[in-house]
Amino acid sequence: MNWVLSMTYYWLKAGHIIFVIFWMAGLFMLPRFFVYHQEAEPGAPENAQWIERESRLIRIILNPAMVIVWVLGLILAWSTGAYSQGWFYAKLALVLALSGYHGWLITYHKQLAGGIRRLEGKRLRLLNEVPGIATALIVIMVVIRPF
């Protein structure tokens, strides 16, 4: 029985890591899409294509991946007793921040689709660094477990 439980743990962990990769890929792609979208003229056919591309990325990759990451991550935390460890709360705070960033990206997509272009390409390129920094810190929390 222990063997079955331990194998389940490894499958959950593998799934969690796979969907983290999908989520991060989407979080890196969407701001880049925004840069190209903003370069398109507001009424041009290319503008509509960027709206559709962004919508598909959000609907097919970003949202499902984030939900699965959360579900598998919380199951793993519960099954390993991570709730009693400090590093877990630092990781949780970073994942909450990434989830907020995810939500902000969706809001900005809706604004772009409505013709509102509040940020310039340079700022969007800088925002593209957010998931990379957060991911590096999360990996440090999980692997090094500094506290």
Side-chain angles (χ1 to χ4, degrees), residues 28-105:
F28 282 120
M29 286 176 66
L30 194 56
R32 180 58 58 183
F33 280 13
F34 292 164
V35 170
Y36 300 138
H37 184 167
Q38 289 191 166
E39 292 173 355
E41 291 297 320
E46 185 182 6
N47 186 62
Q49 290 173 336
W50 282 112
I51 292 169
E52 181 59 27
R53 289 176 186 136
E54 293 159 6
S55 296
R56 284 184 182 166
L57 179 61
I58 291 166
R59 186 178 67 250
I60 297 170
I61 296 173
L62 271 172
N63 288 343
M66 184 184 74
V67 169
I68 293 169
V69 164
W70 270 100
V71 169
L72 295 178
L74 292 173
I75 291 169
L76 286 166
W78 174 78
S79 69
T80 62
Y83 292 113
S84 64
Q85 301 172 33
W87 65 267
F88 171 75
Y89 290 99
K91 176 189 175 185
L92 184 62
L94 289 162
V95 175
L96 281 168
L98 269 179
S99 298
Y101 176 73
H102 176 123
W104 179 85
L105 288 174

